[in-house]
Amino acid sequence: MGENDAETPQQEQPEKYDLFNTAELAELYSKYQPPLDERVIEIVLSSTKGRDCLVDIGCGSGSSTRPFCSHFSKVIGVDYSPAQIDLAKSLSQEISNAEFLQGSLYELPVADSSVDCIIGVMIAQFIDLPQLFEEAKRVLKPGGVLLFHGKGSPKVVQIERESETESKTDTTISQLNERISYIKTGLFAGLFHDRTHFNPQKYSNIPPLHVDQDITREEWVSSRWTTLPVLADYMLTWSAAGKYCAKHGMSSGELREKMIEVMKGGDNGMCSVRCEADRFTWATCHVTGG
C-alpha cells in the first residue's frame, strides 16, 4: 500500500473509491512505489527474537514482503485486494517460503502465538488500529514485534541538467517544490484518505500495543535521483490520484501528463533535468511482553 505526505488538513472524504482492488493499480504499485528501505529490514532483524514467521499486512503486490524471505523461515503477505494478491503470487512464483493470502487484517490466517513479526508499510492511516491490535496480540509470540513503516513524499533538494547540451531551465528548487505541493493540495484537494496517524503526526501518535509499553521509533532521510516523469509515475500510486481519475473520467496516462505539465510550469527546460529528492522516513516498533 502507499500514500503521500501531503501537508493538508483532514478533509471530508469523497465518494468511496476502491483504489487498491484493481489490476491497473496493482501494476502501478509494483512498478512505481520505491523499494523497501534497507533500514526497515535492519530494524526488523534487530528487534525480533525469532526468525520463524513474518506477516506483512496490507502487502499489496509483495514489494515489502519478498525482502524478508531470506531472513525468515516463512513469510506471509495478507491483503484484502484479490488483484494485489494475484500480482504478488505472480511475482513470487520462485520463492518457496512466501505465501500470499487474500483476507482481512483483523482475522489473520495464522495460529495463536505463532508470529515473530508483523510489519505494515504505509497502512496505519487506512485501518482500525484497536481492532488490529487485538489480532496482533493473538498471533504474536511473546516478545513478538509489530512494526509500522511510513514515508513522506519527495522534497526536491537539487536540480541538474542530464547533459550540458540540454536546454537550460529557469525553475528553482523552491518553485518545483511549490508545484509538487500544488498537485497535493490543489489538484487533489479533498481526495486524500483520513490522515489521523499520518501527517503531521507521522505515526508518532499511534498508541502502544500494551498499556505502559515503550515504543521504539526511528526517523531518517532517504535520498534518490529522479526525473519529472518518474515523479509523476510515483504520484499515480497515491490514493488521491485514483480518486481524481474516477471523479474526472480521466485515464492514468492522461493524469500523468497533466502532473508533468504542472511540474514543468511552462519551462520546457524541465523536460531534460533530473532531481535529487529527499524523503522523510520513519518506523515505530511495538514489542509484546515476554
Side-chain angles (χ1 to χ4, degrees), residues 34-276:
L36 186 68
D37 196 301
E38 287 290 333
R39 183 63 191 131
V40 178
I41 300 173
E42 294 171 1
I43 294 171
V44 167
L45 296 180
S46 65
S47 302
T48 53
K49 295 180 179 180
R51 295 286 188 277
D52 293 327
C53 181
L54 176 142
V55 176
D56 182 8
I57 56 174
C59 66
S61 59
S63 60
S64 57
T65 317
R66 286 182 289 274
F68 291 102
C69 290
S70 60
H71 302 288
F72 287 81
S73 298
K74 186 170 187 178
V75 175
I76 301 171
V78 180
D79 201 289
Y80 89 96
S81 165
Q84 297 279 5
I85 290 298
D86 286 347
L87 182 57
K89 290 179 178 179
S90 175
L91 295 173
S92 310
Q93 294 181 35
E94 297 183 4
I95 304 177
S96 61
N97 63 332
E99 184 176 10
F100 293 94
L101 302 171
Q102 188 272 324
S104 171
L105 311 185
Y106 314 119
E107 298 178 357
L108 295 172
V110 293
D112 295 358
S113 303
S114 64
V115 176
D116 296 292
C117 180
I118 298 172
I119 182 172
V121 177
M122 295 297 291
I123 193 174
Q125 65 268 31
F126 293 103
I127 61 178
D128 182 325
L129 284 172
Q131 193 174 355
L132 175 68
F133 278 10
E134 289 306 308
E135 183 67 350
K137 292 173 186 177
R138 179 186 73 81
V139 305
L140 284 172
K141 297 177 181 178
V145 169
L146 169 62
L147 184 140
F148 292 111
H149 168 47
K151 48 197 175 184
S153 57
K155 180 179 180 181
V156 175
V157 295
Q158 188 173 180
I159 299 173
E160 69 175 32
R161 285 181 291 167
E162 292 187 330
S163 73
E164 291 301 317
T165 61
E166 301 289 353
S167 302
K168 291 185 177 181
T169 175
D170 296 321
T171 297
T172 66
I173 292 171
S174 176
Q175 288 172 329
L176 179 53
N177 281 319
E178 287 175 2
R179 294 168 192 168
I180 293 172
S181 180
Y182 167 74
I183 292 174
K184 296 183 290 186
T185 61
L187 197 64
F188 295 158
L191 297 178
F192 283 108
H193 197 80
D194 171 57
R195 315 187 68 76
T196 303
H197 296 294
F198 191 67
N199 186 69
Q201 290 81 13
K202 298 178 174 62
Y203 294 0
S204 63
N205 63 341
I206 294 178
L209 186 59
H210 296 279
V211 178
D212 299 326
Q213 176 193 48
D214 290 333
I215 300 174
T216 302
R217 178 179 175 84
E218 290 198 28
E219 300 177 353
W220 65 97
V221 175
S222 57
S223 299
R224 62 186 304 178
W225 284 94
T226 186
T227 63
L228 298 194
V230 172
L231 280 173
D233 288 335
Y234 161 69
M235 292 175 189
L236 287 176
T237 71
W238 294 352
S239 62
K243 293 172 185 175
Y244 184 92
C245 287
K247 180 178 180 180
H248 296 280
M250 181 180 291
S251 71
S252 59
E254 290 171 329
L255 177 57
R256 178 181 187 269
E257 293 307 310
K258 185 179 184 71
M259 291 189 293
I260 291 173
E261 290 303 312
V262 170
M263 287 187 283
K264 284 167 56 179
D267 181 357
N268 289 328
M270 288 297 290
C271 295
S272 57
V273 302
R274 64 179 192 144
C275 315
E276 183 181 16

Side-chain angles (χ1 to χ4, degrees), residues 15-26:
E15 184 177 351
K16 181 176 175 59
Y17 174 69
D18 195 5
L19 170 71
F20 301 107
N21 190 25
T22 68
E24 180 187 18
L25 228 297

